[in-house]
Amino acid sequence: PVVDFVKIDAEGADKIVLEGMRGLIERNPALKLVIEANPSSLKSAGTSIEELFSLLSELGFRQVDVLFGKMESYRIPRDTTGLLEIVKSRGYTDLFCQP
């Protein structure tokens, strides 16, 4: 079966979940996902928002839309600095990620 969409809210373990989904993502190259970017939860889990963005890019997610108020679009890794500023200033936010 084809998987089109996944929502991840793993309270900081998001990177671990993505690593575990690697095969699913490879088999479904058009997969889109919503993931919560929460720097403090990621830090508690032993990782960082920068590492999460790096993994998203490595897995082929290039377009990231911030789902908070006015929707803002970023390209990773090109716009990672601006995206980091937005996420860190808000504390956390949901991101819509697509290839």
Side-chain angles (χ1 to χ4, degrees):
V2 174
V3 177
D4 296 318
F5 179 80
V6 172
K7 166 71 166 98
I8 300 171
D9 187 353
E11 302 303 322
D14 309 83
K15 186 173 175 239
I16 296 166
V17 171
L18 282 172
E19 287 285 1
M21 290 177 51
R22 192 176 286 273
L24 176 77
I25 294 166
E26 290 169 1
R27 290 188 305 275
N28 296 277
L31 178 79
K32 296 168 184 68
L33 66 92
V34 169
I35 190 166
E36 184 183 72
N38 184 330
S40 63
S41 291
L42 289 163
K43 183 177 180 182
S44 295
T47 189
S48 67
I49 192 72
E50 292 87 355
E51 290 178 42
L52 178 64
F53 290 155
S54 178
L55 180 58
L56 285 168
S57 179
E58 177 187 327
L59 293 171
F61 294 99
R62 300 286 186 257
Q63 179 72 37
V64 177
D65 299 319
V66 175
L67 301 178
F68 186 89
K70 183 184 130 209
M71 201 158 143
E72 303 165 59
S73 294
Y74 296 87
R75 299 289 295 175
I76 56 175
R78 184 187 71 198
D79 300 332
T80 301
T81 301
L83 184 55
L84 284 169
E85 290 174 11
I86 293 292
V87 172
K88 287 180 178 180
S89 72
R90 293 183 178 154
Y92 73 92
T93 192
D94 286 328
L95 304 174
F96 179 65
C97 307
Q98 47 190 327

